Amino acid sequence: MLDFLAENNLCGQAILRIVSCGNAIIAELLRLSEFIPAVFRLKDRADQQKYGDIIFDFSYFKGPELWESKLEAKPELQDLDDEFRENNIEIVTRFYLAFQSVHKYIVDLNRYLDDLNEGVYIQQTLETVLLNEDGKQLLCEALYLYGVMLLVIDQKIEGEVRERMLVSYYRYSAARSSADSNMDDICKLLRSTGYSNQPGARRPPNYPESYFQRVPISELFISMVIGRLRSDDIYNQVSAYPLPEHRSTALANQAAMLYVILYFDPSILHTQQAKMREIVDKYFPDNWVISIYMGITVNLADVWEPYKAAKTALNNTLDLSNVREQASRYATVSERVHAQVQQFLKEGYLREEMVLDNIPRFLNCLRDCNVAIRWLMLHTADSACDPNNKRLRQIKDQILTDCRYNPKILFQLLLDTAQFEFILKEMFKQMLSEKQAKWEHFKKEGSERMTELADVFSGVKPLTRVEKNENLQAWFREIAKQILSLNYDDSTAAGRKTVQLIQALEEVQEFHQLESNLQVCQFLADTRKFLHQMIRTINIKEEVLIAMQIVGDLSFAWQLIDSFTSIMQESIRVNPSMVTKLRATFLKLASALDLPLLRINQANSPDLLSVSQYYSGELVSYVRKVLQIIPESMFTSLLKIIKLQTHDIAEVPTRLDKDKLRDYAQLVPRYEVDPKQLLEDGIRKELVKRVAFALHRGLIFNPRAKPSELMPKLKELGATMDGFHRSFEYIQDYVNIYGLKIWQEEVSRIINYNVEQECNNFLRTKIQDWQSMYQSTHIPIPKFTPVDESVTFIGRLCREILRITDPKMTCHIDQLNTWYDMKTHQEVTSSRLFSEIQTTLGTFGLNGLDRLLCFMIVKELQNFLSMFQKIILRDRAVQDTLKNLMNAVSPLKSIVANSNKIYFSAIAKTQKIWTAYLEAIMKVGQMQILRQQIANELNYSCRFDSKHLAAALENLNKALLADIEAHYQDPSLPYPKEDNTLLYEITAYLEAAGIHNPLNKIYITTKRLPYFPLVNFLFLIAQLPKLQYNKNLGMVCRKPADPVDWPPLVLGLLTLLKQFHSRYTEQFLALIGQFIRSTVEQCTSQKIPEMPADVVGALLFLEDYVRYTKLPRRVAEAHVPNFIFDEFRTVL
């Protein structure tokens, strides 16, 4: 008959593909369960208030139109809904596809069963498939995996969360309307069951059997599968466990399958006592905590409580005398085998001959060890015992008492067993690979010895006092021939023949009195030894390795092993060489990966890579978690070094007198670090953890503090960072790592990640942690709960700088790059602040601050535009005033008659709008000043620290701009194509090196706005009376009670106009020119000798405008006669 799993057996391949897919679906569900967006849980009050109206459970389906109309009624809710969709559609779709694949899985399985019944597969029926060994295994697995999927979904993804995700997908996805969409069926299958995995939560009635029956499955199929599992050893595991007391362990995998599949036929659990009694006697006579899939454990005493027949059948097992007997038995066994294993692991004990002579003994010891470890780990696990259940607590306490449970001793047994297994496996692999070569070598040596002896008895070879004996000569030649004729491939016959040859050699020694000649005896003994070696070598079989693999399975501890992490870490801290023993334990744990991957591999499924990546990734993460103790210990030493370096050790001067040398020989305590204990990723992880915490803690400010805590905190943080940096440099040679490289990479990653998270506040489509290029699963950057409106330390730093340089409280003097308090005239801060930030946070910090300010400017400008719409374009009175003024001042080249009256009446009518307008403009201006200061600091440090980079960037920038200008002059010349990232990439470099002008940046895209230049002109002349000219300081505020700061005002207006078409700026400048000409004309006609203050202000504005934009002066002179420009300075 055709092999069931052969590639051309369609029946076998179909069910193999289904089972392979089942294992892949479970891996995907487990992977996704770690990425559930927290917002779908609606756990905290803030989320409920914000998203409660846009995230629905299945109650939505009762009246979707009603819910949607509620949303449409509120534009802000619609906006939030759109933003939520953009941010979550990708992950919600991924969850939906996983849910869909669960439904598709059971549909495919049902279709396969129908095909079997209808005779689609020739000569195959359900009965014949169940008679075949592989077919029987696959059908049982197919149903079992479906049950596991449902249990995993309910355990890992709560019912309410599933419903909210499915509704969100339904609302946001276009796929729902397609004809082949089975959204309804998926929702029916995965609607909430009421189950909660929280400790102490009550179990819903009829759970999980009602959940398992949501998609009907053939009852005949279920009962035949249960029948097979009850009666057969479907995986032939019992052969690997010959002892009767190990039977329940041999059948443990089958027991787990049966446990899950029984929920598909709950009548057995409820009423069929005989069947349940048979099941318990066969599978659960001495155990009641089982692992159902990759370490997910259940306690039968708890889960079978609602089922009468199951509970009754289990009572014998849970009888306290039986519990006591099992606990005592395993305690005794574990003590006995532990002593044996420790004996075997002694140096020099496990030699090749020893192993080959004692294979059964070693295997028995391994079986006892693994069975004891399994029983003790499962039955003492906290996860398997609900602390609120009195009976379970009682049983567990009984076990802990009777088996004298000590987690450290159990862990030691696990370690030693893993090490013993590892050594045995390696030896066996080695022996198997060399088996034939060794056998041939021993055969050749044996036959050569016999030939030599034959030559000795021929009398030709001189050997002391050996007489010629032709019979013996012929006999030895025959033996040599017989040895050569032994055939490696027919091991059974060769083994028998070898035993006969050994007996013949023993007999010839006795009958022919050859003992008297020592050399002949020696030859015979050697030959017998070689023949013995041949027997041993022929006994090395792969079956032993397979038995060790089966016996050593540790998949039940895939999750339980975590409870031993602290013990592992403590033992590494005390004795670092422990890492080598742990290696064997981790390799033993890795054998658990065979379980889900076996079928995927057999089916040649493309899922093999992603599933093996997931499980091996989980294992690697766990290994990293355990080994993290190494860098933690190292950083404990590093902190002592930091303390020494920052407080106790003085810097040695560059030049030093010989006689003072002794003063600087600082013989303080030293800390030794053993490089072998270190792992680079672990070091990075620990570094990231500590630096992120230092940054978070160091940059928390009290907004009420006078004076601001900003500089002291930056200095303190700078000292901490410098201590880390220097100590990291100091230890890099000891531990053989690139300290500076790691430092720069990780600190830049921390700062960039925090900037990214802070900027998320300003983005519609937020960058989630799993999308971030800076966040990593292996070396995660910790997130801290926000202490104010900022999400991260960079936001707090930025808002503190904005607070202390607030233009309503301070006055910025451009020539000094300093801010002074308006009332007290004390210095608040200066450009030294940015040098301090550069020292503390480095270029990345300044650059991140700059990026955050860009986002803030964009937000301010967007708010400004919506305010402009609201207070100007929708206000009829303001519109009329602007219209009348526009008529009065047109054309702009003319002079306005009676200008004072016209201008000031327009200002008076629009007075109410200027407060909000001023605030918005000044905020933008303030941030632009900060960006300029940052650019200066970055450029200065770039020229100072890396002058070649600065020069190269400047030249490349000039060359590119020249080429682009040349292209606009002559379009036949080259220009970077759209897909060329050169301009985009060089911009990032230029901004990092401070070679850019923030004032030239376009922050937002804008539409045409009516009266825009006129409104800005009116705004400017409305502010001029609040300012006065000071010879030393330029324009300053008249009264601190009505604060206006000149530089932010100029830069804010300049930035605002830059966002619009250049003709608006032209018009704006023309209006100012007209205002100056008209006012001067009026003064001249009224014979007023002094130049009015407002005109001085307007002229100073034009002067500053030209200076900041780096435009030629003729731009301003186009609107104001140059003699006025030349004269006004002399008048002042």
Side-chain angles (χ1 to χ4, degrees), residues 527-597:
T527 310
R528 283 202 303 276
K529 188 177 115 194
F530 287 128
L531 290 171
H532 269 297
Q533 291 281 39
M534 285 169 74
I535 291 177
R536 273 204 194 111
T537 309
I538 210 92
N539 280 340
I540 302 171
K541 294 198 172 72
E542 203 167 357
E543 284 82 353
V544 179
L545 264 181
I546 294 167
M548 280 164 67
Q549 190 68 21
I550 292 171
V551 169
D553 173 44
L554 197 63
S555 59
F556 67 88
W558 186 251
Q559 291 176 10
L560 292 181
I561 194 82
D562 201 17
S563 57
F564 291 93
T565 306
S566 55
I567 300 174
M568 293 185 201
Q569 292 187 328
E570 189 49 43
S571 54
I572 293 174
R573 184 180 296 161
V574 175
N575 175 13
S577 62
M578 190 60 125
V579 173
T580 49
K581 272 196 178 178
L582 277 173
R583 172 179 170 231
T585 312
F586 294 141
L587 285 172
K588 184 175 169 70
L589 196 58
S591 65
L593 271 61
D594 301 343
L595 180 74
L597 293 176

Side-chain angles (χ1 to χ4, degrees), residues 150-151 193 203-215 260-267 269-270 303-304 306-307:
L150 297 181
L151 292 174
T193 56
R203 176 172 164 183
N206 300 326
Y207 178 86
E209 56 268 31
S210 58
Y211 177 35
F212 277 38
Q213 284 160 358
R214 286 179 179 179
V215 175
V260 173
I261 290 173
L262 279 173
Y263 286 124
F264 289 103
D265 188 357
S267 62
L269 291 167
H270 279 297
V303 290
W304 279 356
Y307 309 102

Side-chain angles (χ1 to χ4, degrees), residues 755 794 798 843-857 927-928 930-935 938 991-992 994 996 998 1001 1003:
V755 171
I794 203 91
C798 188
T843 311
F844 319 113
L846 270 182
N847 217 342
L849 203 56
D850 189 49
R851 205 166 127 222
L852 184 54
L853 284 168
C854 281
F855 275 101
M856 288 180 161
I857 291 172
M927 291 187 227
Q928 286 286 47
L930 294 173
R931 285 204 68 205
Q932 278 186 313
Q933 296 285 347
I934 290 171
L938 283 170
E991 288 189 352
H996 69 111
K1001 193 173 175 75
Y1003 291 97

Side-chain angles (χ1 to χ4, degrees), residues 186 272 888 965 1080 1115:
I186 295 167
Q272 302 188 24
E965 279 171 22
V1080 169
V1115 173

Side-chain angles (χ1 to χ4, degrees), residues 93-113:
T93 305
R94 182 104 181 245
F95 271 95
Y96 175 75
L97 291 174
F99 296 155
Q100 186 184 36
S101 55
V102 175
H103 180 261
K104 183 176 180 297
Y105 176 88
I106 190 58
V107 169
D108 287 352
L109 179 60
N110 277 333
R111 190 177 299 131
Y112 176 78
L113 295 172

Side-chain angles (χ1 to χ4, degrees), residues 14 159 290:
I290 60 170

Side-chain angles (χ1 to χ4, degrees), residues 891-913:
L892 297 181
K893 290 284 176 201
S894 65
I895 284 175
V896 182
N898 203 355
S899 59
N900 270 4
K901 187 179 173 191
I902 287 173
Y903 288 130
F904 290 109
S905 78
I907 290 171
K909 285 176 186 169
T910 54
Q911 196 62 50
K912 61 180 182 187
I913 67 177

Side-chain angles (χ1 to χ4, degrees), residues 57-271:
D57 57 17
F58 281 3
S59 58
Y60 171 86
F61 291 126
K62 289 177 184 167
E65 298 81 10
L66 174 72
W67 292 109
E68 293 297 341
S69 61
K70 273 188 185 175
L71 272 181
E72 283 161 17
K74 294 183 182 171
E76 65 275 12
L77 269 185
Q78 263 183 307
D79 200 39
L80 182 67
D81 196 38
D82 291 343
E83 183 185 316
F84 185 75
R85 182 184 67 233
E86 285 167 27
N87 283 315
N88 292 289
I89 187 69
E90 188 183 340
I91 191 84
V92 166
T93 305
R94 182 104 181 245
F95 271 95
Y96 175 75
L97 291 174
F99 296 155
Q100 186 184 36
S101 55
V102 175
H103 180 261
K104 183 176 180 297
Y105 176 88
I106 190 58
V107 169
D108 287 352
L109 179 60
N110 277 333
R111 190 177 299 131
Y112 176 78
L113 295 172
D114 292 343
D115 289 350
L116 268 180
N117 287 337
E118 288 161 17
V120 171
Y121 303 109
I122 297 162
Q123 292 183 329
Q124 295 282 23
T125 62
L126 184 57
E127 289 77 8
T128 60
V129 173
L130 280 169
L131 283 172
N132 178 291
E133 190 171 304
D134 289 319
K136 175 166 61 180
Q137 290 175 8
L138 287 167
L139 278 179
C140 293
E141 282 172 35
L143 186 57
Y144 154 70
L145 287 175
Y146 174 58
V148 172
M149 272 175 227
L150 297 181
L151 292 174
V152 164
I153 285 179
D154 231 12
Q155 242 189 34
K156 301 284 183 183
I157 310 165
E158 300 96 319
E160 287 180 340
V161 173
R162 291 200 299 273
E163 291 193 358
R164 288 170 190 148
M165 283 186 165
L166 284 164
V167 172
S168 294
Y169 179 79
Y170 176 80
R171 289 184 58 236
Y172 297 147
S173 167
R176 65 177 188 192
S177 52
S178 62
D180 59 353
S181 165
N182 46 7
M183 185 82 189
D184 290 358
D185 298 333
I186 295 167
C187 290
K188 278 176 194 160
L189 173 61
L190 294 178
R191 69 176 188 272
S192 175
T193 56
Y195 168 82
S196 167
N197 56 7
Q198 298 302 318
R202 291 182 71 81
R203 176 172 164 183
N206 300 326
Y207 178 86
E209 56 268 31
S210 58
Y211 177 35
F212 277 38
Q213 284 160 358
R214 286 179 179 179
V215 175
I217 304 169
S218 155
E219 287 179 15
L220 174 70
F221 166 62
I222 292 171
S223 79
M224 287 179 85
V225 163
I226 292 175
R228 280 280 164 266
L229 286 169
R230 273 171 47 208
S231 59
D232 301 2
D233 170 17
I234 63 172
Y235 292 105
N236 304 321
Q237 296 270 310
V238 174
S239 59
Y241 290 94
L243 289 177
E245 58 262 35
H246 294 168
R247 191 175 70 166
S248 61
T249 307
L251 299 173
N253 279 354
Q254 205 167 315
M257 292 167 76
L258 191 55
Y259 160 76
V260 173
I261 290 173
L262 279 173
Y263 286 124
F264 289 103
D265 188 357
S267 62
I268 298 178
L269 291 167
H270 279 297
T271 56

